[in-house]
Amino acid sequence: MGIIEAKNLVHEYIIRDEEGNVESIQTALDHMDLKVEPGQFIAVLGHNGSGKSTFAKHINALLTPTEGTLIVDGMDASDEDNTYAIRQTAGMVFQNPDNQIIASVVQEDVGFGPENIGVPTDEIWERVERSLKSVGMWKYREHSPNKLSGGQKQRVAIAGVMAMEPKCIILDEPTAMLDPDGRKEVLAAVHTLNREKGVTIILITHYMEEVVDADYVYVMDQGKVVMEGNPRGIFSQVDTLQEHRLDVPQITLLAHELQRAGLPLADGILTREELIDALERIVKGR
Ligand code: ADP
Ligand code: MG
């Protein structure tokens, strides 16, 4: 059984005027299907407005389905009795690190969540240490979050979620406000959590480069899953990606254009090294 399973998931936002009359209905998720196995690193890609954040908020029980079902670790997200347990199972990291950090010292911030749910003090400190170490921020434990870079703040926010020991972490465009170095730091930290702690990861992004190392990729458009597969399979469909208004990684695009110009290159080249290898083989006639 998957840790997260969406079946025919629909979400409608009901927009009301000042008197409370329904003005319009916005369908943000339109019969969406998706399944995530425990321990997987999943990426969800999609243009602005495709429904990614609406989906993410369902996994954390911030929104409930209008129709269809969403199961989180065996629990039906439509049942309000499950809300608390679902939030313990699936932690969420948002785009803006500044809205997620509350304490004035890093380690207190990370300890805040477990303290709030009544974890005994000794164990809080163990969790704080483990979480900060796993995102590479232990040496900043006594710093003020205000003085950290965006990437460092976001890693503290991730440690705060980790300290709650969720089985699954959803990251909703966690790198959107970061510079390239910050993006790399955060991505590396998330991959480490997945690999070493077995945490299931759902990474929502519109940076194609960030999905290259995912186990499986879902592409959303207009509230639907429109493509799914492993990164290589997804990136070999350059034209379809562009139809869904997504930019393909530079290297993949270059390889695609060279292929169209007649070079015998394989589909879905993802990295610079792969392209160089393939070109070398052509040049050397192998
Ligand atoms: P994404 O995260 O992929 O950019 P969203 O899930 O935020 O997409 O939005 C999906 C659709 O739902 C968009 O058309 C958006 O305008 C609409 N939407 C999002 N939040 C609300 C809201 N609170 N009220 C009404 N419509 C909303
Ligand atoms: Mg969004």
Side-chain angles (χ1 to χ4, degrees):
M1 183 166 189
I3 185 161
I4 295 180
E5 283 185 49
K7 287 199 195 107
N8 269 319
L9 183 63
V10 175
H11 190 81
E12 291 172 347
Y13 289 105
I14 297 175
I15 298 146
R16 293 173 191 276
D17 64 17
E18 280 156 21
E19 279 97 55
N21 302 314
V22 176
E23 205 168 66
S24 65
I25 293 177
Q26 175 76 41
T27 304
L29 296 179
D30 186 7
H31 299 89
M32 178 180 181
D33 289 298
L34 168 153
K35 185 171 179 184
V36 181
E37 299 294 343
Q40 274 190 317
F41 190 117
I42 297 290
V44 179
L45 274 171
H47 192 263
N48 272 344
S50 57
K52 304 182 300 296
S53 294
T54 303
F55 174 61
K57 287 175 187 157
H58 280 75
I59 307 175
N60 193 235
L62 292 172
L63 291 174
T64 46
T66 307
E67 262 180 54
T69 50
L70 180 72
I71 307 289
V72 178
D73 200 21
M75 297 174 281
D76 187 340
S78 299
D79 183 346
E80 277 176 24
D81 291 342
N82 290 330
T83 302
Y84 187 74
I86 285 177
R87 293 204 181 133
Q88 304 245 312
T89 304
M92 181 114 159
V93 176
F94 297 92
Q95 195 175 83
N96 187 343
D98 290 325
N99 300 343
Q100 298 174 73
I101 294 182
I102 35 187
S104 55
V105 179
V106 165
Q107 58 189 359
E108 284 167 13
D109 192 81
V110 176
F112 186 82
E115 188 177 5
N116 230 0
I117 57 169
V119 173
T121 311
D122 292 352
E123 201 193 323
I124 294 177
W125 290 114
E126 285 166 23
R127 288 191 189 193
V128 167
E129 180 170 346
R130 271 202 303 273
S131 308
L132 280 172
K133 282 183 174 165
S134 65
V135 298
M137 288 299 288
W138 176 238
K139 62 171 182 278
Y140 294 95
R141 63 190 174 277
E142 288 174 356
H143 284 231
S144 156
N146 296 328
K147 304 226 172 81
L148 302 176
S149 71
Q152 290 171 329
K153 281 184 200 167
Q154 200 59 307
R155 285 189 285 151
V156 171
I158 294 169
V161 172
M162 274 302 289
M164 306 291 282
E165 302 194 333
K167 290 185 185 170
C168 172
I169 299 184
I170 311 124
L171 301 105
D172 190 359
E173 306 208 28
T175 61
M177 306 185 74
L178 308 182
D179 61 19
D181 283 343
R183 277 157 57 186
K184 279 196 201 117
E185 286 169 18
V186 167
L187 254 276
V190 176
H191 275 288
T192 304
L193 295 183
N194 175 250
R195 217 172 32 240
E196 291 177 7
K197 317 271 172 189
V199 182
T200 308
I201 301 289
I202 299 182
L203 173 71
I204 295 175
T205 182
H206 59 247
Y207 291 116
M208 305 296 272
E209 278 77 6
E210 296 186 348
V211 317
V212 168
D213 295 319
D215 295 319
Y216 203 74
V217 181
Y218 289 92
V219 178
M220 293 184 66
D221 200 2
Q222 298 187 324
K224 289 184 167 62
V225 171
V226 288
M227 297 171 82
E228 62 177 279
N230 62 25
R232 196 175 301 281
I234 294 291
F235 288 132
S236 51
Q237 302 172 61
V238 172
D239 298 327
T240 316
L241 284 167
Q242 288 178 335
E243 279 168 31
H244 296 296
R245 295 173 291 169
L246 287 169
D247 296 324
V248 180
Q250 288 292 326
I251 291 291
T252 307
L253 198 57
L254 178 60
H256 184 69
E257 280 169 18
L258 290 171
Q259 193 187 40
R260 271 211 237 163
L263 284 189
L265 291 170
D267 285 334
I269 286 181
L270 298 178
T271 65
R272 193 171 160 268
E273 289 71 31
E274 284 174 14
L275 181 58
I276 291 172
D277 271 2
L279 289 172
E280 258 175 16
R281 271 199 296 276
I282 294 172
V283 172
K284 293 180 180 157
R286 279 186 278 136

